Amino acid sequence: MYCTKKITDDLIWVGANDRRLAMFEGVYSVPGGVSYNSYLLIDEKIVLFDTVDKAVHNRFIENLDAALAGRKPDYLVVHHMEPDHSASVVELVAKYPEMKIVCNEKVLALIKQFNYFDTDSCVCIVAENDTLDTGRHTLHFHMAPMVHWPEVMVSYDSTDKILFSADAFGCFGALNGALFSDEVDFNRDYMDEARRYYANIVGKYGTQVEALLEKLTALDIKTICPLHGFIWRKNLGDILAKYALWSSYTPETDGVMIAYASVYGNTENAAEILACKLRDRGIKTVMFDVSVTPASDIISAAFKWSHIVFASTTYNAGIFVAMEALISDLVEHNIQNRTVAVIENGSWAPVSGELIRGKLSECRDITFLDKALSLLSSLKLEQLEEIDAMADALGETLPQSAKAAPLAQPAAAAPGAKAEEVPAPPAEIDPTTAFKFSYGLFVLTARDGEKDNGCIINTAIQITEKPFRISIAVNKANFTCEMISKTGEFNVSILAESVPFSVFQQFGFQSGRNVDKFDGCGYDTRAANGIMYLPDGTTGVISGKVADAYDYGTHMLFIADVTQAFVLSSEMSVTYQYYFAHIKPKPPAPKEKKAGYVCRICGYVHEGDELPEDFICPLCKHGAEDFEKLQ
Ligand code: FEO
């Protein structure tokens, strides 16, 4: 039986989930399964975006047949030829001989490598900025080499502002009934898996991901449809902000990740003591035993934490096997911009520390702490000072904000002793204390004659229950304040967490004196007082009739009787803090323009001012003549 889900009126998810797969790509454990997303656009011309892995081919075909309902696809867009998204291409070509495959030259080359069928009659080649009109929709194609393979491209539906992003913005984990990231607590339950997916699948190609992000800034994207994981239709800033950090190898968390390899527990013991000393200094820590934690989890954590301590025993005159594999993996995933300290152990010739430093010196922007620690079989009492010194050195390279005040050790009070005096709080006024109020956010609307207007406020509270009275404070410079002073009536639309940033732009970034803020809004929803309210992104509406007004210089304080109140949704109302964390776009970090050359064949980037004439691409083995300067 088919299992499809509607995304918009004419876009249907026809993918499938696999919860039996043990190792994705044969390397990455996926305890939560994985989804293979495929999308069907029903327009005058019908477009299928990618297919699925062979493991879920039958379910996909059932889904596709149901969504097609007897019609035939006109186009199959192949964004990425990795077989987990292209296993069904051959069967679809045989089933729909008139269907055109839309792809780029590199995709075509891989189609020929993976599959043996006549491509000449059915392939339609696209390049950067090419478009495809399907009726109501227009698709725009953009190349995204090495995100994750050289042939990858994305497409953008400029009609509904949907980005089909291939591997970008994907996530491990099957879709358990929910299709959209806002149907789950993504930040709490899935962000770690999104990071693990990113770091392990495309983490190596930060420069290429940055190039894609740069292209996307020119597009007005409302929805992102990746090939794995959830679709993003709300809070896109959450995942875009993470990609900006991950692709630039910027740590997300100031603190220390300790990865240790220990045969008989003595290296682990030193690592454990270091972790305790760091916590005593208020520094966040996380620990991994590299012999038991899958490498993909540790690589993901390395992309998150600012400081890394590697603690390893010496083994066969080298680095302990599991640690050696992890370090090689990290180097291959291009880890950079981290502060690193090393603890080595060995019973007769400890050398693992020097070897670890040597391997990591291949990475860019790694700062090694001078304070290293060398153990002979086990940590000795007299070496505790060295652990303290390492903890201090790590602490010195962390910002003050990364250090919580360490908890005071409770001391037994001597009989008759006086309680310790609590220092008096500072006497002066710290204005930032006001940010600790748990403000909400509201659209305040008014109507004067035929003129509708509204503004954003953060001060609306209930004062009394009987009678039901509220207060609002409004800046006197706002036109809405002037209108309420004149008419004595208003509505408060209580904003929900799903409210898009555009509402704040609409009501907060322009004046009703100059523009009609409701122009083109597509709704005309009015309460009994005839004043507009917001039907979407709103949890409830309260209408007020002014009972008292007080002039407080910059602001008017209105006390109002509630004349109407109704709930619109069961969503959480937005708070000021939530707005800053999830809705307001973060300014992009200023970027240093990288000098380098990009391979026209596979997208590999060689960083540096010069490209040697005899340079050979390490990925596709093409020569310097196939490279061009990064723009
Ligand atoms: Fe899920 Fe790079 O493919």
Side-chain angles (χ1 to χ4, degrees), residues 119-164:
T119 48
D120 293 345
S121 59
C122 64
V123 166
C124 173
I125 295 293
V126 292
E128 182 71 29
N129 289 325
D130 280 355
T131 59
L132 175 68
D133 283 319
T134 63
R136 192 176 81 81
H137 297 260
T138 304
L139 302 174
H140 303 249
F141 300 99
H142 300 284
M143 305 304 116
M146 299 318 295
V147 185
H148 150 228
W149 278 16
E151 85 293 2
V152 172
M153 64 178 195
V154 301
S155 55
Y156 173 66
D157 170 5
S158 56
T159 308
D160 283 350
K161 305 190 187 320
I162 298 173
L163 177 74
F164 297 93

Side-chain angles (χ1 to χ4, degrees), residues 359-379:
K359 273 172 121 23
L360 286 171
S361 61
E362 292 173 37
C363 303
R364 300 179 69 202
D365 299 328
I366 299 287
T367 306
F368 290 102
L369 287 190
D370 289 337
K371 303 284 178 204
L373 179 61
S374 187
L375 309 177
L376 274 173
S377 301
S378 64
L379 183 75

